[in-house]
Amino acid sequence: MTSISFHQKILSKKDEFCKRPLNWPDKVIGLTGGIASGKSTAGRMLSGHNFPVIDTDMLAKEVTVPGEPALAELVKTFGKEILDDNKVLGRHRLLNIILDDASARKLVENIVHPYVFKRMDGMLQHLAASGKNIVIVEVPLLFEAGWQKLFDYIVAVLAPDSLCMERLIKRRKISRDMASKWIATQISQEVKAAKADYVIQNHAGLNELQIKVNRLSEVLKHL
């Protein structure tokens, strides 16, 4: 497989709430990959090429701050023990719950994803109205959530699980056991590679990643 390779798109049924509106930019590119694979770094690099980038992980944090209905629904579902002493969502507390319970993880996704989609939709409509034709949307769980049909093309940034494991332990300051559980909640690198339109293998450092992103940016500009 080349660093950036083309695959036939694989589309699957998406949740009812995420139907693609007609007034989005002409080309909406989904950017995904395993946790700690380097997708956010690739997103920042693409932003440097003047592509607007929407980070849905950041949107998920925004919709779960105090006062937001998504947080109220999470507390109603899982109890006040998911809040810290300041009544803010304790993300590590919630993470411990969902890593050990697939049904709890699905509940969280069913609560949070519609609110994330609503904000993403508003941002995409605004960008389209301002004349942006190509927009990148970073979605960590794009395939897991069944959001494939929302995007014209999908880019997957992948790295070996062993490398992702070390990055995750270092960045999040979590145990190896927790990191292993976290990685196990996501679909495999091989499946993501097969479902994506473009694949960037990120295992050789930032300079090599920048070269691959530069090449990808030229491809995207000519879609």
mmCIF file of all heavy atoms in Angstrom, residues 4 9 36 49 69 84 139 157 160 167 179 183 202 205 209-210 218:
data_model
loop_
_atom_site.group_PDB
_atom_site.id
_atom_site.type_symbol
_atom_site.label_atom_id
_atom_site.label_comp_id
_atom_site.label_asym_id
_atom_site.label_seq_id
_atom_site.Cartn_x
_atom_site.Cartn_y
_atom_site.Cartn_z
ATOM 1 N N ILE A 4 -0.366 7.232 0.432
ATOM 2 C CA ILE A 4 -1.722 7.720 0.213
ATOM 3 C C ILE A 4 -2.306 6.859 -0.895
ATOM 4 O O ILE A 4 -1.817 6.862 -2.007
ATOM 5 C CB ILE A 4 -1.745 9.196 -0.209
ATOM 6 C CG1 ILE A 4 -1.074 10.066 0.841
ATOM 7 C CG2 ILE A 4 -3.163 9.669 -0.455
ATOM 8 C CD1 ILE A 4 -0.962 11.512 0.447
ATOM 9 N N LYS A 9 -15.121 3.569 -2.127
ATOM 10 C CA LYS A 9 -15.818 3.955 -0.905
ATOM 11 C C LYS A 9 -16.745 2.833 -0.457
ATOM 12 O O LYS A 9 -17.404 2.193 -1.250
ATOM 13 C CB LYS A 9 -16.636 5.229 -1.130
ATOM 14 C CG LYS A 9 -15.792 6.452 -1.373
ATOM 15 C CD LYS A 9 -16.634 7.692 -1.523
ATOM 16 C CE LYS A 9 -17.144 8.141 -0.186
ATOM 17 N NZ LYS A 9 -17.882 9.401 -0.249
ATOM 18 N N ALA A 36 -4.613 8.308 18.852
ATOM 19 C CA ALA A 36 -3.169 8.556 18.893
ATOM 20 C C ALA A 36 -2.467 8.162 17.597
ATOM 21 O O ALA A 36 -1.264 7.920 17.583
ATOM 22 C CB ALA A 36 -2.520 7.847 20.083
ATOM 23 N N HIS A 49 -2.701 24.453 5.094
ATOM 24 C CA HIS A 49 -2.883 24.564 3.643
ATOM 25 C C HIS A 49 -4.178 25.305 3.313
ATOM 26 O O HIS A 49 -4.674 25.227 2.188
ATOM 27 C CB HIS A 49 -2.910 23.170 3.014
ATOM 28 C CG HIS A 49 -1.558 22.533 2.891
ATOM 29 N ND1 HIS A 49 -0.702 22.803 1.854
ATOM 30 C CD2 HIS A 49 -0.908 21.650 3.699
ATOM 31 C CE1 HIS A 49 0.409 22.097 2.003
ATOM 32 N NE2 HIS A 49 0.317 21.392 3.119
ATOM 33 N N PRO A 69 -27.563 20.589 27.442
ATOM 34 C CA PRO A 69 -28.497 19.466 27.637
ATOM 35 C C PRO A 69 -27.838 18.093 27.543
ATOM 36 O O PRO A 69 -28.295 17.147 28.193
ATOM 37 C CB PRO A 69 -29.535 19.665 26.529
ATOM 38 C CG PRO A 69 -28.897 20.588 25.537
ATOM 39 C CD PRO A 69 -27.973 21.455 26.327
ATOM 40 N N ASP A 84 -17.178 15.968 38.546
ATOM 41 C CA ASP A 84 -16.138 16.202 39.536
ATOM 42 C C ASP A 84 -16.662 17.142 40.614
ATOM 43 O O ASP A 84 -17.854 17.479 40.643
ATOM 44 C CB ASP A 84 -14.856 16.734 38.876
ATOM 45 C CG ASP A 84 -15.041 18.108 38.231
ATOM 46 O OD1 ASP A 84 -16.028 18.813 38.555
ATOM 47 O OD2 ASP A 84 -14.184 18.486 37.405
ATOM 48 N N VAL A 139 -13.255 13.359 12.569
ATOM 49 C CA VAL A 139 -14.213 12.549 13.326
ATOM 50 C C VAL A 139 -13.503 11.286 13.803
ATOM 51 O O VAL A 139 -13.315 10.342 13.028
ATOM 52 C CB VAL A 139 -15.440 12.161 12.471
ATOM 53 C CG1 VAL A 139 -16.491 11.472 13.344
ATOM 54 C CG2 VAL A 139 -16.033 13.379 11.772
ATOM 55 N N VAL A 157 -5.866 8.320 8.862
ATOM 56 C CA VAL A 157 -4.475 8.396 9.309
ATOM 57 C C VAL A 157 -4.248 7.219 10.248
ATOM 58 O O VAL A 157 -4.926 7.093 11.271
ATOM 59 C CB VAL A 157 -4.184 9.725 10.031
ATOM 60 C CG1 VAL A 157 -2.732 9.775 10.492
ATOM 61 C CG2 VAL A 157 -4.489 10.908 9.120
ATOM 62 N N PRO A 160 0.837 1.930 13.608
ATOM 63 C CA PRO A 160 0.804 0.629 14.285
ATOM 64 C C PRO A 160 0.224 0.746 15.692
ATOM 65 O O PRO A 160 0.466 1.740 16.391
ATOM 66 C CB PRO A 160 2.282 0.226 14.323
ATOM 67 C CG PRO A 160 2.913 0.973 13.193
ATOM 68 C CD PRO A 160 2.185 2.280 13.124
ATOM 69 N N ARG A 167 2.093 6.305 22.479
ATOM 70 C CA ARG A 167 1.676 7.711 22.411
ATOM 71 C C ARG A 167 0.549 7.986 23.392
ATOM 72 O O ARG A 167 0.539 9.004 24.092
ATOM 73 C CB ARG A 167 1.197 8.048 20.993
ATOM 74 C CG ARG A 167 2.281 8.093 19.930
ATOM 75 C CD ARG A 167 1.630 8.256 18.559
ATOM 76 N NE ARG A 167 2.608 8.357 17.481
ATOM 77 C CZ ARG A 167 2.287 8.281 16.194
ATOM 78 N NH1 ARG A 167 1.022 8.101 15.837
ATOM 79 N NH2 ARG A 167 3.215 8.387 15.263
ATOM 80 N N ALA A 179 -5.021 1.952 28.216
ATOM 81 C CA ALA A 179 -4.720 2.275 26.820
ATOM 82 C C ALA A 179 -5.106 1.118 25.906
ATOM 83 O O ALA A 179 -5.668 1.315 24.825
ATOM 84 C CB ALA A 179 -3.243 2.612 26.665
ATOM 85 N N ILE A 183 -7.925 1.299 22.854
ATOM 86 C CA ILE A 183 -7.651 0.934 21.461
ATOM 87 C C ILE A 183 -8.590 -0.180 21.001
ATOM 88 O O ILE A 183 -9.065 -0.192 19.858
ATOM 89 C CB ILE A 183 -6.176 0.519 21.303
ATOM 90 C CG1 ILE A 183 -5.266 1.751 21.474
ATOM 91 C CG2 ILE A 183 -5.930 -0.135 19.948
ATOM 92 C CD1 ILE A 183 -3.785 1.433 21.512
ATOM 93 N N ASN A 202 1.230 6.793 9.309
ATOM 94 C CA ASN A 202 1.994 7.743 10.120
ATOM 95 C C ASN A 202 2.838 6.998 11.149
ATOM 96 O O ASN A 202 2.407 6.770 12.277
ATOM 97 C CB ASN A 202 1.036 8.714 10.822
ATOM 98 C CG ASN A 202 1.771 9.686 11.726
ATOM 99 O OD1 ASN A 202 2.914 10.041 11.466
ATOM 100 N ND2 ASN A 202 1.110 10.111 12.797
ATOM 101 N N GLY A 205 7.508 9.779 11.894
ATOM 102 C CA GLY A 205 7.830 11.098 12.423
ATOM 103 C C GLY A 205 7.106 12.233 11.726
ATOM 104 O O GLY A 205 6.469 12.061 10.680
ATOM 105 N N LEU A 209 5.269 12.841 7.982
ATOM 106 C CA LEU A 209 3.829 13.094 7.967
ATOM 107 C C LEU A 209 3.524 14.377 7.206
ATOM 108 O O LEU A 209 2.564 14.436 6.428
ATOM 109 C CB LEU A 209 3.291 13.186 9.394
ATOM 110 C CG LEU A 209 1.792 13.499 9.524
ATOM 111 C CD1 LEU A 209 0.946 12.421 8.848
ATOM 112 C CD2 LEU A 209 1.395 13.644 10.991
ATOM 113 N N GLN A 210 4.342 15.401 7.403
ATOM 114 C CA GLN A 210 4.126 16.666 6.697
ATOM 115 C C GLN A 210 4.227 16.477 5.186
ATOM 116 O O GLN A 210 3.416 17.025 4.421
ATOM 117 C CB GLN A 210 5.149 17.704 7.157
ATOM 118 C CG GLN A 210 4.968 19.084 6.531
ATOM 119 C CD GLN A 210 3.726 19.794 7.020
ATOM 120 O OE1 GLN A 210 3.665 20.215 8.177
ATOM 121 N NE2 GLN A 210 2.731 19.944 6.155
ATOM 122 N N GLU A 218 -2.602 18.549 -2.209
ATOM 123 C CA GLU A 218 -2.653 18.766 -3.657
ATOM 124 C C GLU A 218 -3.738 17.899 -4.295
ATOM 125 O O GLU A 218 -4.426 18.329 -5.223
ATOM 126 C CB GLU A 218 -1.287 18.461 -4.280
ATOM 127 C CG GLU A 218 -0.209 19.457 -3.887
ATOM 128 C CD GLU A 218 -0.595 20.883 -4.234
ATOM 129 O OE1 GLU A 218 -1.043 21.119 -5.383
ATOM 130 O OE2 GLU A 218 -0.472 21.760 -3.361
#
